[in-house]
Amino acid sequence: MQLTKTFTRLALGSAIMLASLGSVQAQEDEVKIGFIVKKPEQAWFINEQQAATAVGEELGFDVVRLSGEDGQEVLTAIDNLYAQGAEGFVICPPDVRLGPAIMNRANQYDMKVVTVDDQFVNSSGEPMEGVPHLGMSGYKIGQQVGDAIAAEIEARGWNPEEVAALRITNNELPTAVERTDGATAALLDAGFPEGNIFDAPQQNSDTASAFSAASPVLSQRGDYEHWVIYALNEESVLGGVRATEQYGLAPEDVIGVGINGSGAAFAEFSRDNPTGFHGTVAVSSTMHGRQTAEDLYRWISEDKQPPANTETSGVLMTRENWQEVREDLGL
Ligand code: FCA
């Protein structure tokens, strides 16, 4: 009896050992890819990377999540990935002009590259069309922002002549320019006076840089009581909204509409009292992360070339419908 027990235990032990060796083996055979993002602390990018990991678990490939907040960090991340046996990476670069340098390094290692959100540009500033890309349809999403602001101006019964627009711009990033250009065009179409639009150029794409850009513009234009705010993303619109609060404007005098539909917006909509952050055009960061990771995986494992350029769309999310939209977009 005792003997049988010991034997069973031994047999079980080696079976477990074999099984775990087997799974180590399987993991080593798995395709490995990197997923590098420019702002790893932002909710949009956290969700995107998590979605990439999740699709890897489903389809059987390994995703290494890395941050690349500047050129040096990106190149180190690529070296690192190569050392770990990764065969390619998805990247949202910290500066789109790093495209040629990043591709150089990737080509040295024979790694495949897909860009997400921010598309590389070459030395003449043209999009690097040879690198498969998936990103927002910037101009259209911008128009949705402008339309939402125009509708809310009307709903509040404001006279557009007495409303100022704070346009937080980032001219270094083509998708940012497309988004704010789209919003401007929609506002002008709705009859908003061009002379009431004031630029606040930001150095980055986050809340802090938008706050710093917005504050001086508000004090220079102290004669306006009603403000609308738009920018490339909701983090930046939130920076603008925080600046209006600090300046002393009441929430009902401010209409900010962002872009992304990430945790930053959910936190704002969950506050007990509404703020000047009226809404955001939500895009599925889950889909961006999943699709690009899967495309790269199929490129590596099945030699299936990803689409050259995929443009995604958005839906307006406000305090009223955010939970519903969040669910619809799988966020
Ligand atoms: C850019 C912005 C992000 C997000 C992404 C889709 O990278 O900085 O906030 O909007 O495009």
Side-chain angles (χ1 to χ4, degrees):
M1 189 63 191
Q2 189 56 41
L3 253 180
T4 332
K5 251 192 191 163
T6 315
F7 177 77
T8 317
R9 223 178 277 144
L10 272 175
L12 208 70
S14 34
I16 290 171
M17 254 177 72
L18 278 178
S20 60
L21 271 179
S23 79
V24 168
Q25 192 62 47
Q27 268 169 23
E28 277 173 2
D29 290 347
E30 268 185 5
V31 166
K32 186 179 274 185
I33 65 164
F35 203 110
I36 308 173
V37 299
K38 66 176 182 181
K39 290 222 163 279
E41 77 291 354
Q42 276 190 2
W44 170 274
F45 294 107
I46 293 172
N47 194 51
E48 201 165 66
Q49 286 189 320
Q50 278 172 352
T53 302
V55 74
E57 278 162 9
E58 281 166 38
L59 300 180
F61 63 92
D62 198 20
V63 178
V64 184
R65 295 182 274 190
L66 293 163
S67 83
E69 302 196 51
D70 59 36
Q72 197 46 55
E73 206 185 349
V74 170
L75 294 180
T76 307
I78 299 171
D79 293 347
N80 231 316
L81 284 170
Y82 178 70
Q84 294 184 49
E87 293 172 74
F89 54 90
V90 177
I91 183 167
C92 177
D95 181 338
V96 291
R97 290 166 301 193
L98 289 168
I102 293 172
M103 287 314 293
N104 242 328
R105 185 67 60 103
N107 289 336
Q108 276 170 24
Y109 293 145
D110 204 17
M111 290 169 102
K112 294 185 164 55
V113 182
V114 170
T115 52
V116 67
D117 305 328
D118 300 355
Q119 188 174 23
F120 291 156
V121 297
N122 61 23
S123 52
S124 344
E126 299 300 320
M128 285 176 70
E129 273 155 13
V131 183
H133 176 72
L134 182 147
M136 291 184 184
S137 161
Y139 194 83
K140 275 196 216 145
I141 287 173
Q143 283 176 311
Q144 286 174 273
V145 169
D147 287 341
I149 292 175
E152 188 61 18
I153 291 178
E154 204 176 314
R156 295 194 195 180
W158 295 354
N159 172 5
E161 299 297 330
E162 294 167 4
V163 181
L166 181 64
R167 173 170 57 192
I168 304 173
T169 57
N170 184 325
N171 295 325
E172 309 294 315
L173 182 59
T175 181
V177 176
E178 285 169 21
R179 296 177 202 179
T180 44
D181 279 358
T184 303
L187 277 176
L188 296 180
D189 274 356
F192 193 85
E194 195 164 10
N196 293 9
I197 303 178
F198 305 109
D199 279 323
Q202 65 177 157
Q203 303 300 322
N204 210 308
S205 52
D206 55 17
T207 302
S209 65
F211 181 89
S212 317
S215 297
V217 180
L218 294 171
S219 27
Q220 277 156 20
R221 311 283 168 186
D223 35 338
Y224 289 94
E225 279 169 22
H226 292 148
W227 282 85
V228 302
I229 307 173
Y230 58 102
L232 93 147
N233 60 16
E234 63 208 14
E235 287 78 6
S236 303
V237 169
L238 281 168
V241 169
R242 296 287 96 89
T244 61
E245 289 162 357
Q246 207 205 31
Y247 185 67
L249 291 172
E252 53 274 19
D253 294 326
V254 176
I255 302 169
V257 176
I259 294 173
N260 276 355
S262 69
F266 308 155
E268 193 73 6
F269 294 138
S270 306
R271 288 172 174 236
D272 289 343
N273 298 314
T275 67
F277 186 79
H278 169 71
T280 193
V281 178
V283 179
S284 180
S285 47
T286 303
M287 180 269 181
H288 280 215
R290 286 184 69 95
Q291 193 62 52
T292 47
E294 179 174 346
D295 284 352
L296 177 61
Y297 166 66
R298 300 212 182 275
W299 194 10
I300 293 167
S301 60
E302 299 163 17
D303 207 22
K304 184 168 175 265
Q305 176 82 23
N309 190 9
T310 305
E311 294 202 333
T312 59
S313 56
V315 190
L316 180 66
M317 180 185 256
T318 61
R319 233 178 128 80
E320 275 65 57
N321 71 353
W322 71 272
Q323 275 141 320
E324 219 176 285
V325 175
R326 179 180 181 178
E327 219 177 284
D328 286 352
L329 297 184
L331 296 169

